[in-house]
Amino acid sequence: MPFISTKDDTEIYYKDWGTGQPVVFSHGWPLNADAWDPQVRMMAENGFRAIAHDRRGHGRSGQPWDGNDLDTYADDLAQLIETLDLRDVILVGHSTGGGEVTRYIGRHGTGRVAKAVLLSAIPPLMLKTEANPEGLPLEVFDEIRKGVATDRSQFYEDLSVPFYGANRPGSQVSQGTRDAFWLWCLQVGIKGSYDCVKAFSETDLTEDLKRFDIPTLIAHGDDDQIVPIVAAAEKSSKIVKDATLKVYPGAPHGLSMVAPFKDVFDADLLAFARG
């Protein structure tokens, strides 16, 4: 399997399919690159070079004690892009992966980047503060940490319900999709999973969003029970210059894996990449 080695000798796994303009996918917490498989395959079949990596601590990548923060995630992404010498890249990030993409642009700029897609993404800030009253209270994230630390297997199984909107009338989420989610989650090291909660909830990405100077698609479901749209996409789309905001009515957090939203998002992603 292909790996790169980061500056602190952490091995980062990646899959690299197809040829053409590169599209690099960053996954959400607590998943891995496999969560993007349908879109990676679709882009490779449509003339793009599609690349997806497992974030440090996740999936098949190394599980270091340190570096489970957005600065390091972004630097790992930069090292992947530079090692593969990718240019004119389309960056696509889901949830925490959207934060990774945003911090990458904040730290490394857009010299190698042509476009960006933020799907159900965490920016600008998930945590509720005086300056961000639409965010979620710290107690919500403390409960997530408690679930990871005490019985993460059951916690992840329970998390799959709101993640895919399985608790909503008319949900088309299969048990297989929920089982896959649980399996991916259990591949995350407990230290990386626990630390990442602070990374995705308390990192303010407002200034990073201001550095976007490329076409950007910000996509979000208005029934996202994990990253509420009001504190995320609605705010980010006002910060990123000339961003395109696409709202999917009734869609959950994991909309890219759930019918009927998946097909709509796939078409939007392909059209944006080609446009």
Side-chain angles (χ1 to χ4, degrees):
M1 295 190 293
F3 291 89
I4 66 161
S5 183
T6 67
K7 295 175 182 177
D8 66 353
D9 295 323
T10 299
E11 287 197 321
I12 301 294
Y13 165 82
Y14 68 96
K15 58 186 72 179
D16 186 350
W17 299 346
T19 58
Q21 183 180 9
V23 185
V24 178
F25 292 84
S26 293
H27 64 78
W29 177 91
L31 307 176
N32 62 45
D34 293 351
W36 277 121
D37 268 2
Q39 288 75 31
V40 176
R41 177 189 175 196
M42 176 190 71
M43 298 306 287
E45 288 177 340
N46 282 276
F48 292 88
R49 180 182 178 186
I51 299 164
H53 66 289
D54 291 351
R55 184 173 302 116
R56 64 169 56 214
H58 298 62
R60 291 140 293 201
S61 290
Q63 296 187 11
W65 186 255
D66 297 314
N68 301 298
D69 57 78
L70 277 172
D71 283 356
T72 309
Y73 297 158
D75 291 350
D76 290 348
L77 176 60
Q79 194 157 351
L80 175 68
I81 290 171
E82 290 162 12
T83 299
L84 299 180
D85 195 22
L86 305 178
R87 301 178 187 276
D88 199 29
V89 178
I90 301 170
L91 293 176
V92 184
H94 172 248
S95 194
T96 299
E100 180 179 291
V101 166
T102 301
R103 180 49 55 93
Y104 168 88
I105 290 175
R107 285 172 71 83
H108 300 278
T110 56
R112 290 177 178 263
V113 182
K115 300 178 182 180
V117 178
L118 304 180
L119 173 64
S120 308
I122 61 171
L125 176 63
M126 284 194 70
L127 184 67
K128 182 177 182 178
T129 64
E130 287 188 10
N132 187 45
E134 299 85 1
L136 297 172
L138 182 62
E139 291 77 16
V140 170
F141 305 108
D142 287 340
E143 283 300 307
I144 294 174
R145 278 185 279 263
K146 180 180 177 182
V148 170
T150 55
D151 186 354
R152 59 191 179 124
S153 179
Q154 187 61 53
F155 173 76
Y156 293 144
E157 186 170 306
D158 295 341
L159 181 62
S160 70
V161 175
F163 194 97
Y164 293 117
N167 54 346
R168 298 306 199 218
S171 169
Q172 298 181 40
V173 183
S174 69
Q175 186 61 47
T177 295
R178 292 185 56 195
D179 290 347
F181 177 89
W182 174 83
L183 178 62
W184 295 329
C185 292
L186 282 183
Q187 294 174 16
V188 183
I190 190 169
K191 180 65 162 62
S193 179
Y194 190 93
D195 288 358
C196 191
V197 178
K198 181 179 179 67
F200 72 64
S201 63
E202 298 182 36
T203 306
D204 190 338
L205 295 159
T206 302
E207 294 304 313
D208 304 86
L209 290 170
K210 292 177 182 179
R211 292 203 64 189
F212 280 55
D213 57 1
I214 52 174
T216 303
L217 172 63
I218 299 175
H220 217 107
D222 68 2
D223 193 29
D224 190 324
Q225 301 171 69
I226 307 299
V227 181
I229 189 173
V230 65
E234 290 184 3
K235 284 193 167 184
S236 292
S237 63
K238 295 175 182 177
I239 298 171
V240 175
K241 184 179 180 180
D242 298 326
T244 299
L245 174 63
K246 177 62 184 287
V247 179
Y248 299 90
H253 188 61
L255 66 88
S256 63
M257 294 170 265
V258 177
F261 311 107
K262 174 189 173 298
D263 290 345
V264 181
F265 171 72
D266 286 357
D268 289 340
L269 173 60
L270 187 57
F272 179 73
R274 286 172 166 170

